[in-house]
Amino acid sequence: MPKKLLIISPYFPPVNAADMHRVRMSLPYFEGMGWQVEVVTVAGTYSDMATDELLQQSVPPSTTIHQVKAFSKKFTSKFGLGSIAVRSLWFYKQQVTQILKNDQFDLIYFSTTQFPLCILGAYWKKRFNVPYVIDMQDPWHSDYYMTKPKYRRPPKYWFAYRLNKYLEPIAIKNVDGLISVSLSYIDELKSRYSVIKNIPAAVITFGAFEPDLKIAKDNSPMFPSLLDDRFINIVYIGRGGEDLHKAIAPVFKTFKLGLENNMEGFSKIKFYFIGTSYAPTGKGTATILPLAQRFGIGHHVIEVTDRISYYHVLLTLQQANALFIPGSDDPQYTASKIFPYLLNRKLVLAIFNKASSAIPILQEYGVKHIYNYDEVSTVNLNIFFDQLINGNTANIDYNTNAVDKYSALEMTRQECLLFDQVLCQYALYHAS
């Protein structure tokens, strides 16, 4: 008889939010691993995130999906409470409580960066004796921005910092298992809360989900090309921010020198930074183009702050000549969503903090141009640019073992192993 898993994921297709992709890519495989899954999400009408209807093609039609309401953002924003976690918290409590009254579940799984919702895990565990797991895709309570000037802090940081500091212990002290994209996130939580030092925990990245490439290709006529094919196009798609400048600056510096020494070759290159702001369409502030302008190469760099749909992302990566993945200067940050880049088998340049878990993954795949801040040099980068200018950008053959190891299927298997460990330890504890 399959075990029953209740997943809490406030964002879910067709809403296109980065933190729902782990759930989306795992759903096709859970049943084959002995887990019957139901998802509880927030109805899309209460979300201000962009949607992508094609995302629904990847969700198994048999999946049971419950939708909860949320308070209107127009109302809650007057009090400075705009996050979907806060707006939906009361509705989640009511509806999931009813679900647990009517049906027996073995485990609750919070897979989201909307962390305030995770405090409900402690409530449902106490009331219904159901253990829960939290997926730490990002740090929850962090001091990272405390040392930064106010203009570099996120909006409403003062309130969010204090809210997270209060809520995190409620959820984490009672959690039965942790999944994370970074070992440092787990280590920090176990250090901060000694009561969880022996609970099951696993580092599981987001996987590479091959079916997405077919969906993108089958629907390619829907999407306009964002690139100018008269040029050699280097593309990055993802959030921007000054914390990426440490990775981007050496590239711009080397490119500037390249223009001075080989104008004919380097003038063929354009950089694209797409979807760099979380702000509503047309209201984003450029954070990469100003850096390019300081280096005097602004006319070679295009920054599109507006976000594009997920499958438009995949097609644009396919159309690029090369891909660039810059990492944050936050030592805890990990680019857990690197796999759409790798699926496309393009020439990749990646620069990260040396502590980032992305580096060993990229090395396993066989990516040649992967550097940390301390070792990247003009010599390294000129080799990359020369390869690009000379047209040596044919499809890359990655390490087959790495391709299999980091597939969405294998990542789901790792999730299920963790779930089984949690159930086993929970049963032993309550039997003693």
Side-chain angles (χ1 to χ4, degrees), residues 142 170 198 254 281 320 335 364 369 377 384 424 430:
S142 171
I170 298 174
N198 294 320
T254 301
T281 301
E364 281 187 72
H369 301 286
S377 68
F384 166 78
C424 182
H430 284 272

Side-chain angles (χ1 to χ4, degrees), residues 119 140-141 160-171 193:
I119 64 170
W140 184 348
H141 174 58
Y161 178 85
R162 283 154 181 79
L163 181 68
N164 292 339
K165 186 176 182 179
Y166 173 74
L167 295 182
E168 184 186 81
I170 298 174
Y193 307 105

Side-chain angles (χ1 to χ4, degrees), residues 16 21 24-25 52 55 212 308-314 340:
N16 183 21
H21 285 292
R24 181 184 68 85
M25 293 187 292
D52 184 347
L55 287 166
D212 279 338
I308 60 176
S309 70
Y310 179 71
Y311 292 103
H312 199 178
V313 168
L314 292 181

Side-chain angles (χ1 to χ4, degrees), residues 18-19 22 112-115 134-142 168 172 179-182 184-186 189 206 239 278 330 332-337:
D19 65 346
R22 189 197 294 279
T112 177
T113 55
Q114 297 299 313
F115 292 119
I134 297 177
D135 175 15
M136 301 298 299
Q137 297 183 23
D138 286 323
W140 184 348
H141 174 58
S142 171
E168 184 186 81
I172 299 300
I179 287 174
S180 178
V181 297
S182 169
S184 65
Y185 297 173
I186 294 173
L189 288 173
F206 280 43
R239 69 145 182 102
Y278 291 114
D330 181 352
Q332 284 198 325
Y333 177 81
T334 176
S336 59
K337 305 165 189 71

